[in-house]
Amino acid sequence: MRLAIGSDGAGLGYKQVIAEDLRLDSRVRSVLDLGPPEGEPKANTYTSVAVRAGELIVAGEIDRAILVCGTGIGVAIAANKVPGIRATVAHDSFSVERSILSNDCQILTFGERVIGLQLARRLAQEWLGYRFDPSSHSYANVCEIVDYENR
């Protein structure tokens, strides 16, 4: 799996730790760090990093992304503005599972000011293990979302 990870200044601490976890995961082929660079927490806005991640997914350059801001909400909203992207904030295992199995989300977001680091790390690992099944009953819902977006 080709992944991207990014944050704004409010999510920089978690981004760095989760990025290292991803690099050590055998399921991950590559990790593209969208910033901000260490020592430059204001180099990214949550909007710029989220839109960039979405554009990379739509272009086929990466498969999924994990984004972190203060709440996870801002990056999710911004990423969802990119046509073809389904992003969600999740802070529990069930939501992480359903983000893929029911909604085929390509972007998972976290809030560094909302959940603990160990939970965020665990949820990121869980998320990597899920694959959307196009033969599931949820496929029709995802298709309806895509059709609406393509109008």
Side-chain angles (χ1 to χ4, degrees), residues 4 9 12 30 34 39 45 57 60 80 84 88 92-93 96 107 112 122 128 140 142-143 149-150:
L12 180 57
S30 63
L34 301 177
T45 63
I57 291 168
N80 279 316
T88 190
D92 63 86
S93 290
V96 165
I107 299 179
E112 185 165 330
R122 176 182 169 171
L128 292 177
V142 173
C143 287
E149 186 174 53
N150 290 333

Side-chain angles (χ1 to χ4, degrees), residues 4 34 48-58 62 65 67 79 85 107:
L34 301 177
S48 65
V49 73
V51 168
R52 180 74 180 129
E55 290 172 341
L56 289 167
I57 291 168
V58 170
I62 61 171
L67 306 176
I85 292 300
I107 299 179

Side-chain angles (χ1 to χ4, degrees), residues 46-58 65 67 72-90 99 103-110 127 142 145-146 148-150:
Y46 68 73
T47 304
S48 65
V49 73
V51 168
R52 180 74 180 129
E55 290 172 341
L56 289 167
I57 291 168
V58 170
L67 306 176
I73 298 168
V75 284
I77 292 170
N80 279 316
K81 297 300 179 185
V82 177
I85 292 300
R86 289 174 303 283
T88 190
V89 62
S99 74
N103 300 288
D104 196 19
C105 284
Q106 308 107 315
I107 299 179
L108 178 64
T109 73
F110 295 123
W127 190 67
V142 173
I145 292 167
V146 171
Y148 178 80
E149 186 174 53
N150 290 333

